[in-house]
Amino acid sequence: MAAERSEQSANRQNGQPPDHAPDRQDRRVGLVLVSHSALLAEGAAQLTRELAGAEVPIEPAGGMPEDGGLGTSIELIERAVRAADRGAGVVILADLGSAVLTVKLMLDDADDLPGPVLLADAPFVEGAVSAVVAASAGADAQAVLAAAEEARQFHKV
Amino acid sequence: MSQSQSQNPGPGHHENQNPVTLDTAFFVAWITRTAAVVEAERARLTELDSAIGDGDHGTNLDRGFASVMRVLDTTAPRTPGTVLALTGTTLISKVGGASGPLYGTAFRRAGNALSDAPEIDLPGLAAALDAALAAIRKLGAARDGDKTMVDALAPAVSALDDAVARGAALLDALNAMVAAAEQGAQATIAMQASKGRASYLGPRSVGHEDPGAASTVLILTALRDTAAEATASKPDGE
């Protein structure tokens, strides 16, 4: 597995397209988009799906399930992580600090989470966009995380 | 008898004051009182949170503790530890803002510290609150002076630990704890927020009491008041 990956990145560095072995197609890192708002999470998911095509699993996890109100739900997030996993791990984007608290608790609590599950210290939308581009190109979980966190440096204007 | 007794009861100390049993019923009474107080103070907490937050602290806590009461009613916990652990788990699950994970992990950790003992002594209670504070510090990473619930809870736990170390009786120790919590919450008024929603306001957060510190005072006061009421209602010689 490691040997295949380094061969693939060597190909990318040489300007060649990565190998498209059939068994590798499904193993994109998944994204979970955690927001206090169900609408915001779904909106960010729509935006990123546009960029990724169908390959990258993207799961919104926003709002409280009982009434659709604002807040982050530990159960919703865990379900989203399991749904987004395809065997290559999951990177989580969170909108505000309290979402980070809920994610941290979920990561501590959950049994047998498919690994690796990484929480990005990144702006919600920009981090998600950077992450999905990296995931779409076949980056592994650590590289997707790094891409998300690079978004902290971006200037817009 | 596992209750600590002060050697020299001060003026006003009732000669026949019997120690309160910190059993499951006591802890249920504490949480019940907390839920009532949080409901009663909902507007004040919301107002504090509107000044420097997003105005949902009162609502969140009220709804969270209402859920806790439903869970406690239907689950019939059998130990003090279970009462607190259920409280914590429910708050985590039902309160979507920062106070859910923070209070939730605090109560859960405190419950775990009590394990399955049917009755808790004062040092055990203090140890549970130590664990609660440690859990909040670890999850939220707030430092003293960041203008958060920690600024009420840390002095409160410290005062309680000091009281236990000098052999204070239950009510004296809890009074010291509440006084320290109140003082800590008052001290947050002058602080500038470095954590949470209020931190987005920067200098504009100065001059307002932190809502998390205020709600911490309410919860600890409910603990003291539950003990005070239990003490007052104990018949002599029991």
Side-chain angles (χ1 to χ4, degrees), chain B:
Chain B
M1 258 312 171
S2 53
Q3 201 68 30
S4 301
Q5 299 279 353
S6 44
Q7 296 284 15
N8 296 306
H13 182 94
H14 195 286
E15 276 293 321
N16 292 319
Q17 185 177 85
N18 290 298
V20 173
T21 307
L22 304 183
D23 56 7
T24 303
F26 175 87
F27 281 83
V28 171
W30 170 25
I31 300 301
T32 305
R33 185 181 296 265
T34 298
V37 163
V38 158
E39 187 187 344
E41 297 286 317
R42 176 178 158 154
R44 181 172 73 92
L45 290 176
T46 293
E47 196 185 309
L48 288 177
D49 200 34
S50 299
I52 60 172
D54 51 3
D56 63 357
H57 190 55
T59 311
N60 280 348
L61 273 195
D62 183 24
R63 281 160 71 184
F65 275 97
S67 293
V68 168
M69 289 316 302
R70 280 194 294 274
V71 166
L72 291 181
D73 284 343
T74 54
T75 318
R78 289 183 303 156
T79 63
T82 310
V83 174
L84 297 191
L86 278 179
T87 299
T89 309
T90 307
L91 290 176
I92 287 170
S93 175
K94 297 292 179 187
V95 179
S99 49
L102 290 168
Y103 277 128
T105 197
F107 275 105
R108 206 168 59 172
R109 215 52 92 69
N112 292 344
L114 299 181
S115 62
D116 57 3
E119 284 175 23
I120 312 299
D121 61 11
L122 180 56
L125 177 63
L129 292 180
D130 286 340
L133 174 62
I136 291 173
R137 284 195 192 279
K138 182 173 177 228
L139 181 64
R143 295 152 310 183
D144 296 347
D146 278 349
K147 193 182 181 103
T148 70
M149 65 201 304
V150 169
D151 293 306
L153 185 59
V157 165
S158 183
L160 182 60
D161 287 341
D162 286 348
V164 170
R166 65 169 186 266
L170 176 69
L171 214 40
D172 294 337
L174 296 181
N175 282 334
M177 174 192 73
V178 168
E182 285 171 340
Q183 205 170 33
Q186 286 302 297
T188 65
I189 294 173
M191 295 174 187
Q192 177 169 325
S194 301
K195 279 280 174 191
R197 225 59 65 83
S199 65
Y200 288 91
L201 294 175
R204 284 174 292 149
S205 62
V206 176
H208 301 272
E209 183 184 357
D210 178 67
S215 53
T216 294
V217 170
L218 294 181
I219 294 169
L220 296 179
T221 303
L223 173 56
R224 189 273 310 275
D225 290 350
T226 305
E229 185 176 293
T231 304
S233 65
K234 276 266 183 191
D236 289 348
E238 178 161 275

Side-chain angles (χ1 to χ4, degrees), chain A residues 39-143:
Chain A
L39 272 181
L40 182 53
E42 184 53 54
Q46 271 185 30
L47 194 59
T48 46
R49 280 185 199 121
E50 273 294 297
L51 298 166
E55 296 171 342
V56 178
I58 298 170
E59 295 290 331
M64 300 301 284
E66 296 89 23
D67 58 1
L70 295 177
T72 51
S73 158
I74 200 170
E75 286 103 1
L76 200 62
I77 296 167
E78 185 179 339
R79 278 207 297 273
V81 165
R82 293 187 191 281
D85 174 64
R86 294 290 185 277
V90 173
V91 169
I92 303 176
L93 278 300
D95 61 356
L96 298 172
S98 42
V100 168
L101 297 176
T102 310
V103 171
K104 280 188 180 175
L105 270 184
M106 188 279 297
L107 292 175
D108 277 344
D109 281 359
D111 293 326
D112 308 322
L113 272 188
V117 180
L118 308 173
L119 171 59
D121 184 2
F124 183 61
V125 171
E126 290 82 348
V129 166
S130 299
V132 81
V133 168
S136 180
D140 65 18
Q142 285 294 343

Side-chain angles (χ1 to χ4, degrees), chain A residues 12-31:
Chain A
R12 278 204 295 277
Q13 283 167 4
N14 292 338
Q16 295 169 12
D19 294 340
H20 283 295
D23 63 328
R24 223 192 323 259
Q25 283 292 45
D26 289 338
R27 301 230 197 95
R28 293 294 194 269
V29 170
L31 294 197

